[in-house]
Amino acid sequence: MFIFFLCLALLVLAYKFYSPFVEHQAGIDPKAQTPQARFEDGVDYVPVHPAKAFLIQFLNVAGVGPIFGPILGALYGPVALLWIVLGNIIGGAVHDYFSGVLSIKEDGKSLPEIAGHYFNVYFKGVMLLFTAMLLFFVGVVFIMSPAGLLSNLDYFKDTIFGNNTFWVLVILAYYFLATMLPIDKIITKLYPAFGLLMIVMTTSIAVALLISAPQLPEMGDVFAYFNHSHYNNDLLEPNPDGLPIWPLLFVTITCGAISGFHSTQAPIMARCLTNEKYVRPVYYGAMVAEGVVACVWATAGIAAFPGGYVELKSLLDQGGPGLVVNQVATSYLGVLGGVMAIIAVAVFPITSGDTAFRSLRLTIIDAFNIPQSMRNRLLVAAPILTIAYFMTKIDFSLIWRYFAFSNMLLSTSVLWLATKYLFDRGSFHWIVSLPAIAGTCVTISYIMTAGIGLGLPQSLSQPVGIAVGVVCLVALIIAHNKRKTVLNTNS
């Protein structure tokens, strides 16, 4: 129980004490005119109260990721909690904050446009590819996962509501409306209430686990884990499926720790904030809140089952993380509470899926400078959603692997973009450059090892990933020292 409360305390303390330091480096100007004021158009540039903006941003980023990812990561044991908290504080919250800063400083533009401004047209093209790929995979994942959850509810068996295709079509129809309509027609009206619902459901699960869970993780379990690994002379002890911590744990649990998807959502609220000072509570605050959600569900995966990881693995083999959510909710909240929690877990990914497709529409329109008419929005959205429907016929686990990799890849790219921003300002860039180096190590190691990548042995991919990170660090130190020399000479 101690480690759970320690994780929550660290997240809160990071927001209280570390986030103001991060904000100080960013050059926030409360007196500056925001994109919302300069470009108000009644579609995307619409004023939103900061409390509403926080709940919308929280719901946009906290879909099924901080639930499914931590459940899968729970197979590694309590070390999953450590990754969530450290990844969130050092990487994820800083990543999300600077995603908001960069967007609000650049007229609410999408990532590829910002990348083109700070680097060049080639980097802009790469970011456009990464961003579009991730947004599309996120949208598809957030069609398949809630459709699977809803169609598997016992109450819907032997009815049309128990048909997965039915829910896929319903969700797609909603996505079409949410992508096409002005932001204040659906998103700003419904999402604050859904955000509160997520907070209530997460709190309910957490309290129930703390009262009734058979085996809450303790700090001693973490030490025992690493002592056992050291005893085997291998600090990369595999989980029950034989998967190593490095790099797979860091790719399995992205949402809650660090997620590139969040940066794709930044322009939505950056176009709606009425003051730059709201960037920290909205973006940094939403990521800390998602870290709490991830900690709760990782704890559920670790502690909720008397049979431990063996029972967890069995449930995952039978029905994936969705079945685990079903079991935890119904076991700890009763029938009514369980149904409410499952429906809530189905709603949350839908509210991220629709903003993923909306962000994809914005990204394409920004990249090709397409006027924001209803006809043009239709011409962009309709083909995307049609292709997404056919993608739902592909194996979910394959889609999830591509989503996880592109998620980590984009988050690393955004951290490098933030590094360039702070480097140009002469600010303390290490708050983003060091996480960028770590993300580079993980990304290189993963794509070299993974089946969707090169499929090379870990004995080769791990040293190569670390070596690339070291090269990046050395290059950054040289650039940093060269800049100091130039500044000293000019002064």
Side-chain angles (χ1 to χ4, degrees):
M1 183 181 297
F2 173 74
I3 189 174
F4 177 75
F5 285 113
L6 176 63
C7 290
L8 299 190
L10 288 173
L11 289 170
V12 173
L13 290 172
Y15 181 79
K16 176 67 176 176
F17 297 107
Y18 186 50
S19 67
F21 172 73
V22 173
E23 182 180 50
H24 181 68
Q25 312 306 315
I28 289 298
D29 182 4
K31 297 180 181 178
Q33 193 177 36
T34 64
Q36 179 277 317
R38 293 197 303 273
F39 306 112
E40 184 166 357
D41 61 1
V43 179
D44 296 308
Y45 292 89
V46 176
V48 174
H49 188 277
K52 273 190 173 184
F54 164 79
L55 290 170
I56 293 168
Q57 176 68 12
F58 172 52
L59 203 62
N60 284 350
V61 301
V64 76
I67 298 170
F68 280 18
I71 287 173
L72 292 167
L75 286 173
Y76 291 93
V79 71
L81 287 167
L82 293 184
W83 160 236
I84 290 169
V85 173
L86 294 178
N88 188 297
I89 294 172
I90 297 172
V94 174
H95 165 277
D96 284 25
Y97 175 72
F98 279 101
S99 298
V101 169
L102 289 167
S103 188
I104 203 168
K105 292 286 189 182
E106 294 292 324
D107 298 337
K109 290 178 181 176
S110 302
L111 274 175
E113 303 305 303
I114 299 171
H117 173 78
Y118 283 97
F119 286 98
N120 52 49
V121 68
Y122 303 107
F123 194 74
K124 173 184 174 180
V126 171
M127 288 292 284
L128 177 60
L129 177 63
F130 289 168
T131 302
M133 180 175 70
L134 176 59
L135 285 169
F136 184 74
F137 282 129
V138 167
V140 174
V141 165
F142 291 168
I143 295 170
M144 298 170 74
S145 54
L149 281 169
L150 291 168
S151 62
N152 284 320
L153 286 176
D154 291 338
Y155 295 93
F156 294 155
K157 284 184 177 178
D158 302 322
T159 70
I160 189 174
F161 302 112
N163 186 296
N164 188 75
T165 301
F166 169 82
W167 287 110
V168 166
L169 293 173
V170 169
I171 293 168
L172 273 171
Y174 167 72
Y175 283 179
F176 178 77
L177 291 175
T179 302
M180 293 291 297
L181 293 175
I183 194 169
D184 59 348
K185 299 302 181 185
I186 295 179
I187 292 175
T188 61
K189 285 184 169 59
L190 296 180
Y191 281 29
F194 288 148
L196 288 173
L197 177 61
M198 183 173 220
I199 292 171
V200 170
M201 289 294 99
T202 301
T203 303
S204 300
I205 292 289
V207 171
L209 287 171
L210 293 174
I211 294 173
S212 307
Q215 46 187 19
L216 288 168
E218 301 292 349
M219 284 300 297
D221 297 327
V222 178
F223 297 137
Y225 185 94
F226 284 106
N227 286 337
H228 176 65
S229 300
H230 180 70
Y231 176 78
N232 285 308
N233 197 29
D234 181 8
L235 291 176
L236 305 173
E237 178 73 9
N239 73 353
D241 287 324
L243 304 176
I245 289 178
W246 179 280
L248 294 184
L249 174 62
F250 308 107
V251 179
T252 301
I253 304 179
T254 52
C255 297
I258 182 169
S259 170
F261 167 65
H262 297 186
S263 63
T264 67
Q265 302 301 287
I268 294 179
M269 283 299 100
R271 300 180 185 209
C272 300
L273 294 182
T274 55
N275 195 304
E276 286 189 6
K277 68 181 181 181
Y278 298 138
V279 174
R280 181 166 69 94
V282 169
Y283 290 92
Y284 201 109
M287 184 55 187
V288 168
E290 189 187 73
V292 173
V293 174
C295 284
V296 169
W297 284 100
T299 301
I302 296 166
F305 306 107
Y309 75 83
V310 174
E311 185 175 348
L312 172 62
K313 184 176 183 303
S314 175
L315 286 172
L316 289 171
D317 290 342
Q318 292 175 45
L323 181 59
V324 176
V325 172
N326 195 332
Q327 288 283 101
V328 171
T330 54
S331 299
Y332 286 88
L333 296 182
V335 176
L336 179 60
V339 171
M340 288 176 60
I342 294 166
I343 292 174
V345 171
V347 167
F348 303 149
I350 291 173
T351 57
S352 289
D354 62 0
T355 52
F357 284 120
R358 186 182 187 90
S359 295
L360 182 54
R361 189 257 298 170
L362 291 175
T363 299
I364 293 171
I365 282 177
D366 284 351
F368 297 99
N369 199 26
I370 301 172
Q372 281 272 30
S373 66
M374 177 64 77
R375 176 179 178 274
N376 287 338
R377 297 205 299 272
L378 176 63
L379 289 175
V380 172
I384 291 171
L385 292 172
T386 300
I387 297 170
Y389 169 75
F390 290 105
M391 289 292 289
T392 63
K393 306 300 181 182
I394 298 176
D395 178 46
F396 177 82
S397 62
L398 179 62
I399 296 293
W400 183 268
R401 286 196 293 273
Y402 278 105
F403 158 66
F405 170 66
S406 56
N407 208 8
M408 179 61 75
L409 182 64
L410 187 59
S411 67
T412 302
S413 301
V414 172
L415 287 170
W416 283 118
L417 182 58
T419 298
K420 180 67 164 59
Y421 171 75
L422 291 183
F423 201 86
D424 289 349
R425 280 181 45 79
S427 299
F428 188 74
H429 64 81
W430 299 107
I431 56 176
V432 288
S433 57
L434 290 179
I437 291 168
T440 301
C441 294
V442 171
T443 305
I444 295 294
S445 296
Y446 176 78
I447 201 60
M448 290 185 68
T449 303
I452 63 171
L454 301 179
L456 298 174
Q458 295 165 19
S459 58
L460 176 62
S461 63
Q462 290 161 358
V464 170
I466 294 171
V468 171
V470 171
V471 170
C472 290
L473 177 61
V474 171
L476 198 60
I477 291 173
I478 293 172
H480 179 82
N481 291 335
K482 185 179 295 185
R483 179 182 176 83
K484 284 176 62 178
T485 301
V486 171
L487 291 175
N488 291 334
T489 302
N490 291 339
S491 62

